[in-house]
Amino acid sequence: RPIVCALGINGLMLILFILFGVVRYGSLDDYFMAATLTGAYGSGYEPHIVFVNVALGYLLKPFYIFFPTVGWFYLFEMLSVFSAFSAFSFFIVRQLGWRWGIPFALLISSSSIDFYASISFTQCAALLVASGGLLFIFGCKENRGVFLYMGIVAIVLGAMTRWQMFLLGVPFILSPVLFERKLRSLFRIRNTVALLLCVVAVFSLKYIDEQSYVDGDYKYYREYQWKRSFFGDGAHYDVDGVYDELEERGMSAHDFQLLRGWSFYDTDVFSLDSLDSIIKVANHSVYPINWNRMPAATILAFSNALAKNLAWNWFFVCILLLLFSDKRKRMY
């Protein structure tokens, strides 16, 4: 069966990574969020991790209570990658059959190792939303309730893991509608109710997350983290220019370097108000948007993408589809 084949292929990729790969997070944010969940910065389990919906923290809490020594946040991200690529493989095998489906599924699933090797909540959210959208549309078209609700769960989990990636994935989820001739079949009563249920769940959880930081220490904590992330994530300003201007103003450039590396040592220096003065200096060194460089930047980005295994896998899949698919469907 396609599902057995998909699970087998991706199980093989996961085993290969476990045997030969390096277990680590792909970003500093994941390290600190995982540590926050375990209570490393307080007296106990803490689900308020700012960048991920608080509901996901509460969802993982029972696992940490019964098995506190296990890194459940990491396992959740690994399971997200495995589930998403299993869904991709399932649809490839089902649509193309055994002859072409299995080679294509192997090719695409080999890309999952890149995700395992630098696991990140942002990438996991994108994969969950993409696979959830496929499952949802498939459930609507084939009138299969199991796939419909699995899709809803994946989409909701993706929105909980990273809200911005859910917004980015919405056009992808809606795009199959453009290629559907019988739209009425997609909007059966059950499908419409399931879609409304998904929308209500996503925005309700978003509201719950927002309300968790309305007042008290959590409000301060969230405001602080958003400003702190300006330094760690910001690639839109000249770091050396900021460093020099801080030195000229008599401010500590060393503090700026510590902020960029998630390091803190003084609650007065790194108070919420003190960050504003450093951000103000950084805004003086923001790179202007140069539209004339956009074509060259696009070519450079495409060139850098070719250094990734994922890009070449999709490239070969597209070539094979052009060569061996139905002529009427090649453009699609």
Side-chain angles (χ1 to χ4, degrees):
R1 294 182 178 182
I3 186 62
V4 176
C5 181
L7 292 174
I9 290 173
N10 286 278
L12 173 64
M13 298 302 167
L14 180 58
I15 291 172
L16 287 173
F17 171 74
I18 293 173
L19 291 176
F20 304 107
V22 178
V23 176
R24 64 180 181 183
Y25 288 112
S27 69
L28 282 173
D29 289 341
D30 292 89
Y31 279 106
F32 283 90
M33 286 191 294
T36 302
L37 282 175
T38 61
Y41 304 109
S43 58
Y45 184 85
E46 181 52 75
H48 295 79
I49 46 181
V50 180
F51 304 112
V52 172
N53 194 300
V54 68
L56 183 60
Y58 284 115
L59 186 66
L60 295 175
K61 185 174 182 177
F63 298 98
Y64 278 101
I65 291 175
F66 290 107
F67 304 97
T69 58
V70 178
W72 291 106
F73 186 71
Y74 180 83
L75 291 179
F76 167 76
E77 292 188 344
M78 293 287 284
L79 182 61
S80 300
V81 176
F82 175 80
S83 301
F85 274 92
S86 294
F88 300 151
S89 302
F90 167 77
F91 288 113
I92 289 172
V93 174
R94 189 181 183 279
Q95 294 299 110
L96 301 180
W98 292 94
R99 183 180 180 185
W100 294 110
I102 292 179
F104 282 12
L106 279 167
L107 197 60
I108 294 302
S109 296
S110 66
S111 303
S112 64
I113 293 178
D114 289 343
F115 290 87
Y116 291 135
S118 58
I119 200 82
S120 166
F121 75 110
T122 301
Q123 294 179 347
C124 290
L127 290 172
L128 285 169
V129 173
S131 59
L134 285 173
L135 289 166
F136 186 84
I137 293 296
F138 178 77
C140 290
K141 291 179 64 175
E142 301 294 328
N143 199 23
R144 303 280 291 276
V146 174
F147 290 93
L148 193 69
Y149 299 121
M150 286 173 60
I152 291 176
V153 170
I155 292 171
V156 171
L157 285 174
M160 290 164 60
T161 306
R162 186 75 191 250
W163 175 254
Q164 290 84 352
M165 299 310 294
F166 163 74
L167 297 178
L168 190 65
V170 168
F172 174 81
I173 297 173
L174 299 177
S175 61
V177 177
L178 301 175
F179 301 96
E180 184 61 34
R181 294 179 180 178
K182 300 178 180 179
L183 287 177
R184 187 177 297 178
S185 62
L186 289 179
F187 294 101
R188 298 185 183 94
I189 295 178
R190 183 174 67 174
N191 299 345
T192 305
V193 171
L195 180 60
L196 292 175
L197 178 65
C198 181
V199 172
V200 170
V202 166
F203 284 95
S204 297
L205 290 171
K206 177 64 174 175
Y207 176 77
I208 292 172
D209 183 63
E210 294 290 340
Q211 292 301 305
S212 300
Y213 300 92
V214 169
D215 51 24
D217 293 336
Y218 288 126
K219 180 181 180 181
Y220 182 92
Y221 176 62
R222 187 175 209 189
E223 290 177 356
Y224 186 91
Q225 289 302 327
W226 284 121
K227 290 185 179 181
R228 194 278 317 158
S229 65
F230 173 92
F231 301 101
D233 299 337
H236 60 288
Y237 60 86
D238 182 9
V239 174
D240 294 332
V242 176
Y243 193 93
D244 293 338
E245 185 173 344
L246 288 172
E247 289 288 330
E248 291 175 1
R249 292 183 175 216
M251 302 169 67
S252 175
H254 183 59
D255 293 340
F256 170 64
Q257 296 287 24
L258 290 172
L259 280 170
R260 295 186 66 243
W262 263 94
S263 301
F264 313 114
Y265 68 93
D266 190 320
T267 55
D268 292 328
V269 173
F270 293 122
S271 65
L272 186 61
D273 294 334
S274 68
L275 295 184
D276 290 329
S277 59
I278 306 178
I279 290 174
K280 189 178 294 184
V281 173
N283 284 329
H284 294 162
S285 299
V286 170
Y287 295 123
I289 298 176
N290 188 341
W291 295 106
N292 293 329
R293 292 184 60 188
M294 288 298 289
T298 303
I299 294 172
L300 180 62
F302 182 77
S303 176
N304 292 336
L306 295 180
K308 302 291 185 181
N309 181 40
L310 180 64
W312 285 104
N313 285 358
W314 283 110
F315 175 77
F316 285 121
V317 166
C318 290
I319 293 295
L320 292 171
L321 286 172
L322 284 172
L323 291 175
F324 299 105
S325 63
D326 189 331
K327 292 181 179 180
R328 295 171 295 179
K329 299 179 181 179
R330 283 180 180 175
M331 185 60 71
Y332 172 76

